[in-house]
Amino acid sequence: MIPALVDHLPALQVVTPLLCAPLCVLVRPGRAAHAIASFGAIASLAIAARLLAEVLDHGVLSYALGGWAAPWGIEYRIDGLGAFTLVIVTTVAAVVFPLSRASVEAEVEPARRHLFYAALMLSLAGMAGIAVTGDLFNLFVFLEIASLAAYVLVAFGRGGPAKLAALRYLVAGTVGATFVLIGIGLLYAATGSLNMADVSARLPQVQQSTALKSAFAFLVIGIAIKMALFPLHAWLPNAYARAPSVVGAFLAGSSTKVAVYALIRVVFGVFGADYAFARLSVDWVLLPCAAAGVIAGGVVALFQSDVKRMFAWSSVAQVAYMVLGAALASAAGLSAALVHMMNHALMKAAIFLALGGIVYRTGAVSIDALAGIGRRMPLTLAGLVVASLGLVGVPFTAGFVSKWTLLRAALQGDAWLLATVIVAGSLLTLLYTGRIVEAACLRSPPPGSVSTGTAEAPPGVLAALWLLAGASVFLGLDTSLTVGVAERVAGALLESAAGRWR
Amino acid sequence: MSLSGSYHYLAVVLLMVTGLYVVMVNTNLIKKVLGLNIFQTSVFVFYISLGRLEGGTAPILADELSRYANPLPHVLILTAIVVGVATTALALSLVVQIHRAHGTMEEDDIDDREGGATIS
């Protein structure tokens, strides 16, 4: 890369997808817009990978936007946590966008496809912005860019139900974002700064302030709504189930992860573990919510007849796993949460792509419509099953690595009840995966079904599905990539947070 | 802090709670969007009042002025207002499309007609 550009990578991470969005609108034909969106996603992944390498080698990157120095200007600050999140989000985008054109063409009207790709790019730009920014108000703005684009993407689903799901998502998301805004206002009132590092340095002087406590509460609840933490999850199942499959794959893979990132950033990065856990005991709120989410999400998923909604409910449970890890407030728990962020992003994106492939062929994803699909779409189904087994946490898949590190973290903290919840959640996942396999392989196809020969998902979708499923198996065998990086990131986070309050 | 110095916070809290109540209780989608706007407006008022200073003027560099209101929260909230407008526009356009598809804006009626059976 050109040396001059390398210095500006933090800005380019946001600017590239942000510029691709209007380009998609300008070129109009769906195919050209698809090419631009694919370029944007792959370029973003390249930038994110470079940033992660840079951060791991040289430590935190600070970039003064427009040349205005830190506490006054907006600072883009990329540490291991941010770069790791960037890699997760852009990997999902770079695999899903280029390869899933057939699925988009099957589910989105021709006249609106260029707008669809533009919304995908805006959402990607917003999520990248959340991960790079070191400024609290900037975080709110990017949160809203990503969310507004996500509401639009959900509304691209067919018919009235998709619009209603999008509106409910919008109402919940806006309430969440406004809570975040209130929290940022209170934090500014208490400290007089918006720069995360600056706020964090000023906090010890005002630690008795009530404004600070309410700021913390508003921020945590606002972000919890955005990430669909039980019991604030009501918007998620319908939004993911009604959206086009590609949107389901992208959002399920990335948007909740970015919210988990924001929670970790605010709790550990800004307030610090000592304030959040030792003084305010936030774990007494987060741990029960997360444990209830793991069980409730799994149980409700088990009784769904719409498979997309089944996996949307499963997302509620998986997000709860990540919060559970983070709320343990130990290096082991935090790195388990990070590993699960990466693994779940790959597996859930793969699952929604597989469902997209099934919708492409059969037009439906109810359990009944899946009957006999194992014979007609063996490769698609196999990909779905591999990814689902990862979700369960079967050995030799990425899911096993994250569940195992999470379990170890819980046992290290002598949290036997939580360990039981983690295992019970896995068993629930096994049960609903079993329902799908049973319907697809053992039941005979409904009489008068469309075709009897094999009719796989479109080649691109199939390739993307197997790329993600393969990656999830690879990360299950070679853990140095995820666990190694996550442990370093978690250690750095806790280290920077420790000692500030004493 | 005396009550006379912080009465604006009372107004903020009142607006905030009203807005949130309207969002949660109403089943009419337009009223939900209205409630959302009231809720957001309360935060705008909060930020704007945050920057005010007794006897302070707009931050204009002039010899006879020495007490300035803090312009930063005002600038911030301009951005938040823009975000709010965009959100409202999107919400209203979704309500129009829901009305076209279902013939009603009452959430309860829509749930009945859907019957939980439509899977697309």
Side-chain angles (χ1 to χ4, degrees):
Chain A
M1 250 179 276
I2 313 154
L5 274 181
V6 172
D7 296 338
H8 296 288
L9 281 182
L12 284 173
Q13 180 78 75
V14 181
V15 170
T16 311
L18 201 60
L19 281 181
C20 287
L23 277 181
C24 286
V25 179
L26 287 175
V27 299
R28 282 200 78 95
R31 277 174 184 241
H34 171 261
I36 292 171
S38 305
F39 165 78
I42 292 168
S44 298
L45 175 59
I47 295 171
R50 178 72 196 251
L51 282 174
L52 182 64
E54 200 98 335
V55 167
L56 289 179
D57 284 351
H58 307 295
V60 180
L61 279 177
S62 174
Y63 178 85
L65 209 61
W68 297 89
W72 295 284
I74 290 171
E75 181 193 19
Y76 279 5
R77 194 180 175 82
I78 303 166
D79 57 0
L81 176 64
F84 189 70
T85 312
L86 281 175
V87 169
I88 295 174
V89 171
T90 52
T91 304
V92 173
V95 175
V96 172
F97 297 176
L99 294 170
S100 59
R101 205 182 72 209
S103 181
V104 173
E105 285 175 357
E107 293 181 49
V108 179
E109 299 165 42
R112 296 205 176 143
R113 276 177 208 149
H114 59 296
L115 299 173
F116 178 82
Y117 287 116
L120 276 180
M121 281 291 107
L122 282 178
S123 188
L124 180 61
M127 289 181 200
I130 294 170
V132 296
T133 189
D135 183 276
L136 282 166
F137 195 80
N138 209 225
L139 177 83
F140 161 77
V141 174
F142 279 126
L143 203 61
E144 279 310 79
I145 292 176
S147 300
L148 276 166
Y151 310 147
V152 174
L153 286 170
V154 170
F156 268 103
R158 286 231 180 88
K163 311 295 181 287
L164 189 64
L167 185 69
R168 283 183 176 155
Y169 181 14
L170 182 146
V171 171
T174 306
V175 170
T178 312
F179 267 60
V180 170
L181 191 59
I182 298 169
I184 293 169
L186 287 166
L187 206 52
Y188 177 70
T191 62
S193 183
L194 287 166
N195 183 288
M196 290 183 196
D198 199 26
V199 167
S200 175
R202 290 177 189 213
L203 279 184
Q205 298 150 25
V206 289
Q207 54 174 309
Q208 299 301 336
S209 134
T210 323
L212 198 61
K213 276 186 202 158
S214 18
F216 183 78
F218 273 114
L219 278 166
V220 168
I221 294 173
I223 296 170
I225 295 176
K226 287 280 184 192
M227 77 167 92
L229 177 62
F230 185 86
L232 303 169
H233 63 284
W235 58 267
L236 185 141
N238 268 332
Y240 286 8
R242 304 288 191 202
S245 309
V246 174
V247 174
F250 177 55
L251 289 184
S254 56
S255 89
T256 45
K257 314 297 170 299
V258 170
V260 173
Y261 159 83
L263 183 78
I264 295 176
R265 169 66 72 213
V266 165
V267 169
F268 291 91
V270 176
F271 285 92
D274 278 359
Y275 183 79
F277 292 95
R279 289 177 62 95
L280 293 187
S281 306
V282 70
D283 44 339
W284 283 94
V285 180
L286 290 182
L287 284 177
C289 285
V294 167
I295 299 298
V299 169
V300 180
L302 190 54
F303 293 104
Q304 297 299 314
S305 57
D306 178 336
V307 183
K308 269 192 187 175
R309 194 178 306 185
M310 177 187 279
F311 283 110
W313 273 102
S314 135
S315 274
V316 173
Q318 302 298 325
V319 166
Y321 272 117
M322 294 165 216
V323 175
L324 206 152
L328 286 170
S330 61
L334 207 51
S335 63
L338 294 173
V339 172
H340 199 47
M341 266 164 75
M342 171 61 106
N343 293 342
H344 179 251
L346 299 177
M347 297 182 292
K348 220 11 118 29
I351 286 170
F352 273 95
L353 279 179
L355 296 179
I358 294 171
V359 172
Y360 184 83
R361 288 293 173 204
T362 65
V365 278
S366 62
I367 283 274
D368 292 334
L370 283 185
I373 214 94
R375 250 158 282 163
R376 284 198 290 142
M377 313 175 75
L379 284 175
T380 313
L381 185 81
L384 177 63
V385 169
V386 168
S388 308
L389 287 179
L391 222 50
V392 175
V394 172
F396 307 118
T397 62
F400 175 73
V401 178
S402 42
K403 294 267 164 79
W404 178 248
T405 44
L406 196 57
L407 200 59
R408 245 188 9 202
L411 291 179
Q412 259 178 27
D414 277 328
W416 288 95
L417 197 62
L418 289 179
T420 319
V421 167
I422 293 167
V423 175
S426 272
L427 289 177
L428 285 167
T429 318
L430 185 64
L431 286 177
Y432 58 74
T433 307
R435 272 190 76 197
I436 294 171
V437 174
E438 188 263 340
C441 297
L442 301 181
R443 279 196 236 166
S444 52
S449 63
V450 198
S451 68
T452 42
T454 53
E456 289 289 352
V461 175
L462 202 60
L465 162 62
W466 273 98
L467 213 57
L468 290 167
S472 100
V473 172
F474 175 75
L475 292 179
L477 297 173
D478 179 9
T479 58
S480 63
L481 266 176
T482 46
V483 180
V485 173
E487 274 173 355
R488 280 184 63 179
V489 169
L493 258 181
L494 288 171
E495 209 171 276
S496 70
R500 220 179 326 114
W501 294 91
R502 289 180 206 118
Chain B
M1 205 192 291
S2 69
L3 189 69
S4 64
S6 55
Y7 64 93
H8 55 279
Y9 290 126
L10 210 65
V12 168
V13 170
L14 209 67
L15 273 176
M16 198 179 279
V17 178
T18 311
L20 212 49
Y21 178 81
V22 173
V23 173
M24 290 197 290
V25 171
N26 265 292
T27 54
N28 183 303
L29 296 176
I30 289 283
K31 288 184 185 165
K32 253 192 197 313
V33 176
L34 274 174
L36 211 54
N37 270 296
I38 297 173
F39 181 47
Q40 286 178 314
T41 306
S42 77
V43 185
F44 303 160
V45 176
F46 168 62
Y47 267 75
I48 292 166
S49 62
L50 211 58
R52 208 192 107 81
L53 199 67
E54 199 79 37
T57 61
I60 302 163
L61 199 61
D63 289 338
E64 61 272 25
L65 301 175
S66 59
R67 282 171 74 82
Y68 302 123
N70 183 353
L72 184 67
H74 301 177
V75 176
L76 293 181
I77 221 56
L78 215 54
T79 314
I81 290 172
V82 172
V83 171
V85 170
T87 312
T88 308
L90 179 59
L92 289 176
S93 73
L94 285 173
V95 173
V96 170
Q97 295 208 28
I98 290 167
H99 188 257
R100 260 187 219 147
H102 295 278
T104 174
M105 287 180 298
E106 288 291 331
E107 243 181 336
D108 295 348
D109 297 350
I110 298 171
D111 287 346
D112 289 344
R113 282 178 217 188
E114 209 184 316
T118 45
I119 293 158
S120 57

